[in-house]
Amino acid sequence: MPQQHTSISPLATFLIATFFLLSLFPGTFIPILWAPYNSLAAYYFPAAAPRSTVLCSSPNICTAPLTMSWYVSKQFTLPSRSRGSYLITDTILKELPEIKNYKTGLLHLFIQHTSCALSLNENWDEDVRADMSTALDRIVPEDKKGQGLYLHDAEGSDDMPAHVKSALVGASVTIPITNGRLNTGTWQGIWYLEFRDMKHSRKIVATIQGEKN
């Protein structure tokens, strides 16, 4: 009796192979199956353009975020001075013409020394600066008689009091900028206070942060 041979059609072979591949590697075929749908969705429903962030505050006032720019680490040296309090606003403006380029922002000034200071104070009457130096000398006196007021005296009797005064007054000031100008009060000026007897050259680091014109 002749033997019968059974054969599998090419279509059946393809379906069986596809079934095994889908079973073993389903993740490979998911993007292929979704590709026609994604193409149609992208064509008929294009993605909206990203919206810029809007800052809102009460009562219902919304503004776009400011574009911030930086001007960092500009260093300059002040004229050498001996002990005293000095108005340096004009010197700062001369060294930093970039202030005029800022609509709004902050100017930060930092003096890189430990026996002097920066401050904001009276800009008109010179007697105020003289009185300030005298008052600080009374608050932190020198040990000229060698009574042992301070342990640190290797650099002269004026050195340790200078460090104390620097700590009391501070090494930096921050001033607002509005429409290209320092927004100080009518009688405010930038002071440099030198606490050593001999003249010293002092370096300042200026940092400007703000929105340019």
Side-chain angles (χ1 to χ4, degrees):
M1 183 173 182
Q3 295 181 350
Q4 295 182 351
H5 297 281
T6 59
S7 61
I8 301 175
S9 67
L11 177 60
T13 303
F14 172 77
L15 293 175
I16 294 172
T18 302
F19 173 78
F20 279 106
L21 289 175
L22 284 172
S23 301
L24 296 175
F25 308 103
T28 305
F29 292 90
I30 290 176
I32 299 174
L33 295 175
W34 279 93
Y37 171 80
N38 291 333
S39 299
L40 290 173
Y43 180 79
Y44 288 104
F45 305 100
R51 298 177 60 185
S52 59
T53 304
V54 176
L55 305 176
C56 296
S57 60
S58 180
N60 299 324
I61 299 175
C62 297
T63 59
L66 298 178
T67 301
M68 302 301 291
S69 55
W70 295 78
Y71 190 93
V72 295
S73 295
K74 182 171 184 178
Q75 187 181 85
F76 55 89
T77 302
L78 295 174
S80 297
R81 300 284 191 176
S82 57
R83 188 191 303 207
S85 301
Y86 304 95
L87 185 65
I88 60 168
T89 306
D90 290 342
T91 301
I92 299 300
L93 294 176
K94 179 181 177 182
E95 295 288 344
L96 297 171
E98 298 84 359
I99 292 174
K100 298 178 181 178
N101 299 329
Y102 285 81
K103 180 180 179 181
T104 183
L106 294 172
L107 167 64
H108 182 264
L109 300 172
F110 174 76
I111 196 162
Q112 296 180 303
H113 306 276
T114 60
S115 54
C116 55
L118 294 176
S119 181
L120 289 173
N121 218 305
E122 169 74 54
N123 66 359
W124 184 74
D125 190 349
E126 295 181 358
D127 289 343
V128 176
R129 296 194 292 276
D131 288 341
M132 182 66 71
S133 296
T134 302
L136 289 171
D137 288 341
R138 289 198 299 267
I139 294 170
V140 190
E142 291 187 38
D143 187 14
K144 292 184 177 181
K145 296 182 180 181
Q147 296 176 337
L149 292 178
Y150 310 106
L151 296 176
H152 178 69
D153 58 3
E155 299 178 54
S157 62
D158 67 321
D159 184 50
M160 188 58 215
H163 294 316
V164 177
K165 295 172 189 176
S166 177
L168 292 175
V169 179
S172 65
V173 293
T174 302
I175 307 161
I177 300 171
T178 305
N179 295 326
R181 302 180 63 182
L182 295 180
N183 199 353
T184 52
T186 302
W187 308 112
Q188 282 184 318
I190 305 171
W191 282 24
Y192 153 52
L193 298 95
E194 177 56 60
F195 302 131
R196 298 301 304 273
D197 289 337
M198 296 183 62
K199 288 185 176 181
H200 287 74
S201 294
R202 304 301 195 179
K203 294 180 180 180
I204 286 184
V205 175
T207 304
I208 301 175
Q209 172 192 356
E211 179 188 7
K212 287 189 174 182
N213 296 322

